[in-house]
Amino acid sequence: MASANEPYVVADPQVIAGLDNYVNLPAAQQPTWYSTDALAASRETLSKLPPLVFAGEVDRLRSRLADAAAGNAFLLQGGDCAETFADATADRIRNRVKTLLQMAVVLMYGSSLPVVKMGRMAGQFAKPRSNDNETRGDITLPAYRGDAVNGYDFTPESRRNDPARLVQAYHTSASTLNLIRAFTTGGFADLRSVHEWNKGFTDNPANARYESLAKEIDRAIQFMAAAGADFEALRSTEFYTSHEGLLFDYDRPLTRIDSRTGTPYVTSGHFIWIGERTRQLDGAHVDFLSRVRNPIGVKLGPSTSPDDLRALIEKLDPNREPGRLTFITRMGATKIREAMPKLVETVKSTDCNPLWITDPMHGNGITTKNGYKSRRFDDVMDEVRGFFEVHAEAGTFPGGIHIELTGDDVAECLGGSERIDEAALEARYESLCDPRLNHMQSLELSFLVAELLASRNKK
Ligand code: PEP
Ligand code: CO
């Protein structure tokens, strides 16, 4: 008991939650900032700024993901490999949102399932790298780690790891999210506007196919209208944000205690995933994210062992909470059919029911003869097919896709019905990081996934 003249100490719920336990553990992939004072100032600023997302939204997403894990919904997660400050423009954000809305319509129509829409957007500003430094000729500078850390230009000023960028990442995320909220709730995402989302994109076979599907949707809507249906539910759509939970100096100061429940939420995005390079079981990332209420994803590459999987489940989902845990497999087209069955079987032997989604991008990187980091569209499609095959065999649900894409007319991945070849990359390659599917390749992929989902329904 505190005596009358002792100060009354209120226990800090952030301390009780052990949110800073991670500082005692090895943290992979953290930048060496140029100034500790500047870092402290940025963290202080971030800790005072308003949350970007709200606990109630995060809880609603968890229940949507639980539906997907149970086979009653499908997750579409997509966006840039690395967002940049320069590309956070109205046009580019709108094109990405439109592309995701179009893909969602295709998937929904094909599968007759609700589609949970999630951007790798409004926070995807930090990247893990294989080396801390990059050398060009006889100059060595820090590697580009994403706009939240440093600039892409290869100069000492630009490559300096500058904590002021963390605050800029927050403000850019805030304006991106503001526009996303306006687009998805302000009438633009109304299902009766399916044709509008196709406007402004160059004519191509995938667009034409989309247009005919949009006509069918129109007919269905007219039929329902004639039957007196109420379309209020079509007016707006839920749209969630996600990013890799990589930088503690960003996500930790934006972690807040929810006043309703007294529990911690990362408020820089709804869904946070742990990357393939930072999912060490005794590492800082797994520890920190095990303590927050957000739904958490974990990337699983081909070296993942059944023991890793069991340990990740124990750490990240000890209460077996529906919707809490998403496994994002990124095996590579040549490996998925071999590497994944044992993982799915391992999970089946537990009482955990995670959502399984496929990232058919990160295991399929190649370098072209003319020196571009690329991916073949056929490999991406093949990995998606492999993912569906493994789940069909195991009797589990292939619950979603995780794609690097842009709504812009870039040429970064090879193939697709536009037959993008190596020469095309020279003219239209814009990504500062991994190659993305362009608008048409994204739509084509969604038609394939819709077919896979539809044929699953028929079985
Ligand atoms: C990414 O999603 O951009 C990424 C780096 O993926 P992974 O951790 O799977 O390599
Ligand atoms: Co990437």
Side-chain angles (χ1 to χ4, degrees):
M1 278 293 282
S3 70
N5 48 12
E6 258 178 283
Y8 180 64
V9 181
V10 180
D12 179 345
Q14 301 216 1
V15 174
I16 296 174
L19 290 177
D20 288 319
N21 194 46
Y22 76 88
V23 299
N24 305 312
L25 301 171
Q29 297 286 343
Q30 301 307 293
T32 307
W33 301 106
Y34 86 90
S35 151
T36 47
D37 286 350
L39 174 61
S42 283
R43 286 189 61 143
E44 176 70 10
T45 303
L46 288 175
S47 72
K48 302 233 160 72
L49 285 163
L52 292 174
V53 303
F54 301 102
E57 298 171 337
V58 172
D59 292 340
R60 192 179 56 202
L61 171 62
R62 198 184 319 101
S63 78
R64 302 288 185 249
L65 297 179
D67 290 344
N72 299 322
F74 191 78
L75 172 63
L76 169 64
Q77 184 179 16
D80 285 326
C81 179
E83 292 178 279
T84 62
F85 298 157
D87 278 349
T89 63
D91 282 355
R92 289 190 181 238
I93 294 166
R94 189 195 52 222
N95 281 350
R96 249 173 301 151
V97 171
K98 281 202 309 191
T99 303
L100 287 165
L101 290 175
Q102 287 188 299
M103 291 174 79
V105 158
V106 171
L107 290 167
M108 195 162 57
Y109 200 77
S111 67
S112 307
L113 288 173
V115 174
V116 184
K117 302 163 201 84
M118 190 189 285
R120 283 175 63 116
M121 291 177 79
Q124 178 54 19
F125 288 105
K127 298 308 299 174
R129 301 317 300 249
S130 354
N131 294 308
D132 271 345
N133 293 314
E134 180 181 345
T135 300
R136 293 191 194 170
D138 49 13
I139 300 176
T140 297
L141 295 172
Y144 173 62
R145 284 190 174 273
D147 275 14
V149 177
N150 57 4
Y152 185 74
D153 287 350
F154 195 70
T155 63
E157 302 74 43
S158 142
R159 285 294 170 96
R160 187 174 82 155
N161 295 338
D162 182 357
R165 286 175 166 271
L166 294 167
V167 178
Q168 200 178 346
Y170 169 91
H171 290 298
T172 311
S173 299
S175 57
T176 302
L177 184 52
N178 182 52
L179 199 57
I180 293 174
R181 291 191 193 277
F183 281 143
T184 52
T185 61
F188 180 78
D190 193 318
L191 253 190
R192 287 161 291 181
S193 315
V194 276
H195 293 284
E196 296 300 311
W197 309 335
N198 214 14
K199 292 208 175 115
F201 292 126
T202 40
D203 278 345
N204 62 49
N207 280 12
R209 196 170 167 194
Y210 175 85
E211 217 19 72
S212 71
L213 183 141
K215 282 200 188 102
E216 285 180 42
I217 293 175
D218 272 350
R219 267 202 300 278
I221 289 175
Q222 278 158 20
F223 171 77
M224 293 300 290
D230 171 9
F231 289 126
E232 211 30 50
L234 300 185
R235 269 190 53 73
S236 64
T237 187
E238 291 171 18
F239 194 103
Y240 298 97
T241 62
S242 67
H243 62 267
E244 177 172 350
L246 187 68
L247 293 180
F248 293 102
D249 295 323
Y250 183 68
D251 290 317
R252 174 64 186 92
L254 287 166
T255 300
R256 305 290 162 78
I257 302 294
D258 171 32
S259 55
R260 303 166 312 162
T261 58
T263 54
Y265 287 73
V266 179
T267 65
S268 51
H270 298 106
F271 177 93
I272 310 290
W273 78 86
I274 305 175
E276 168 72 357
R277 292 174 186 76
T278 49
R279 62 174 167 80
Q280 298 80 10
L281 293 165
D282 297 317
H285 292 85
V286 169
D287 186 87
F288 175 64
L289 291 169
S290 74
R291 294 167 190 274
V292 300
R293 295 284 298 128
N294 305 61
I296 301 298
V298 189
K299 293 284 198 92
L300 302 177
S303 68
T304 314
S305 71
D307 283 348
D308 291 343
L309 215 52
R310 277 189 285 262
L312 283 166
I313 290 172
E314 285 316 317
K315 292 216 164 182
L316 292 168
D317 187 19
N319 302 324
R320 309 294 192 261
E321 191 178 12
R324 159 72 174 173
L325 187 58
T326 297
F327 284 132
I328 311 169
T329 59
R330 33 88 83 218
M331 299 289 169
T334 57
K335 301 204 178 117
I336 184 155
R337 293 169 179 84
E338 195 187 310
M340 230 185 97
K342 65 174 184 294
L343 300 182
V344 178
E345 290 304 328
T346 299
V347 172
K348 270 172 68 183
S349 72
T350 71
D351 55 353
C352 180
N353 186 22
L355 170 60
W356 289 99
I357 70 173
T358 172
D359 162 1
M361 314 299 291
H362 287 90
N364 292 312
I366 56 165
T367 304
T368 61
K369 286 196 280 308
N370 52 355
Y372 287 88
K373 241 172 127 177
S374 189
R375 291 158 173 155
R376 289 191 191 89
F377 187 66
D378 287 350
D379 294 340
V380 171
M381 301 281 249
D382 191 34
E383 178 152 359
V384 174
R385 272 192 213 95
F387 177 78
F388 273 79
E389 284 163 28
V390 171
H391 282 290
E393 187 67 28
T396 44
F397 183 60
I401 53 175
H402 177 119
I403 305 290
E404 285 183 344
L405 58 79
T406 169
D408 301 321
D409 190 22
V410 301
E412 297 172 2
C413 291
L414 298 169
S417 51
E418 214 185 356
R419 299 196 205 298
I420 288 176
D421 59 13
E422 299 197 359
L425 304 189
E426 285 169 25
R428 290 185 284 143
Y429 197 104
E430 294 182 13
S431 176
L432 300 188
C433 211
D434 292 335
R436 303 158 297 178
L437 298 185
N438 64 17
H439 176 256
M440 163 164 160
Q441 290 167 329
S442 303
L443 270 186
E444 280 187 89
L445 178 81
S446 59
F447 278 113
L448 170 85
V449 176
E451 278 161 23
L452 292 170
L453 280 166
S455 63
R456 212 185 149 275
N457 287 349
K458 283 193 205 106
K459 283 192 189 131

